[in-house]
Amino acid sequence: CFGNVLVSDSEPPAGLFAFSERKQGTMQTKLHIMDVTKPRGEGLAPPFKVNADIAMPPEAPTDFAVALHLSEKQGVVFMVTKAGFLFMFDVSTATMLVRTRVSQDTIFISTYSALSGGCIFVNRKGAVMSVKVNEPAIVNYINNNLVQLPNRQEIAFTLARRFGFPGADELFQRQFSTFFASGDYKNA
């Protein structure tokens, strides 16, 4: 999938391409997110690129993505799988934020929703479902529920700063105080 998403505070949105892959003969699935619009060449900074292994659910180890959607509005990638699982990843780090089953039936079609920043999908029985980021809750969810992620505060803070999500006031205050106390007035 393609989309223009902020991945840097100092540059305009990057033209991203995201895809998942599973190499033949393996059970390992990997998510790749890369800037395909930034100029490349000698002397130029390398374009944005991240990847991460995807932990498929134990009850569906052979499951695979049927759709990926980059949310330009919310800075995440949604992945819908054939077995009815929904994954949500942070675009900047490819870190998995959510993995949940949304349908017991096979998902066969899906599309991005520009209105909500989420996606809409249909299962084999014809049930239409939609998903989007719960903007008022996402920052606190990452900080309080994803304790296994060592960089959870950075992810939550970055999403709040770039996409205007509420819930990071304490993080903003702490960062301001740290910069100010160290004499880094520009970043403060």
Side-chain angles (χ1 to χ4, degrees):
C1 68
F2 294 92
N4 296 308
V5 182
L6 281 172
V7 292
S8 168
D9 293 331
S10 61
E11 296 182 19
L16 301 181
F17 173 55
F19 65 96
S20 68
E21 74 166 330
R22 178 179 288 164
K23 301 242 188 232
Q24 187 174 354
T26 72
M27 297 298 283
Q28 181 184 8
T29 303
K30 190 170 256 197
L31 173 67
H32 298 270
I33 305 168
M34 61 187 70
D35 185 345
V36 293
T37 60
K38 189 170 184 176
R40 290 158 168 68
E42 193 173 319
L44 296 174
F48 172 81
K49 183 178 182 180
V50 294
N51 60 60
D53 290 334
I54 300 172
M56 285 298 180
E59 63 270 30
T62 61
D63 197 11
F64 58 91
V66 292
L68 285 169
H69 303 286
L70 276 164
S71 177
E72 298 177 358
K73 181 179 179 182
Q74 298 159 331
V76 297
V77 176
F78 294 102
M79 181 175 90
V80 182
T81 71
K82 182 179 179 187
F85 285 89
L86 171 79
F87 292 75
M88 185 174 78
F89 303 91
D90 169 49
V91 166
S92 302
T93 61
T95 301
M96 182 172 51
L97 304 175
V98 173
R99 179 183 74 193
T100 188
R101 187 161 221 162
V102 291
S103 176
Q104 295 298 319
D105 297 300
T106 301
I107 302 291
F108 73 93
I109 194 165
S110 155
T111 189
Y112 176 70
S113 171
L115 181 65
S116 71
C119 60
I120 302 166
F121 43 95
V122 181
N123 71 12
R124 186 175 54 180
K125 290 187 176 175
V128 178
M129 295 162 268
S130 68
V131 66
K132 67 177 185 170
V133 171
N134 182 349
E135 292 180 7
I138 188 68
V139 170
N140 286 329
Y141 170 81
I142 292 168
N143 275 325
N144 300 325
N145 296 78
L146 301 179
V147 295
Q148 74 278 12
L149 298 178
N151 61 338
R152 70 184 181 279
Q153 286 189 333
E154 180 186 337
I155 291 170
F157 184 74
T158 300
L159 285 171
R161 186 178 65 243
R162 289 184 185 152
F163 301 98
F165 299 150
D169 297 339
E170 183 182 313
L171 294 171
F172 282 119
Q173 184 61 41
R174 207 174 324 143
Q175 188 177 54
F176 172 81
S177 297
T178 302
F179 284 136
F180 193 81
S182 69
D184 187 353
Y185 303 117
K186 181 182 177 192
N187 282 319

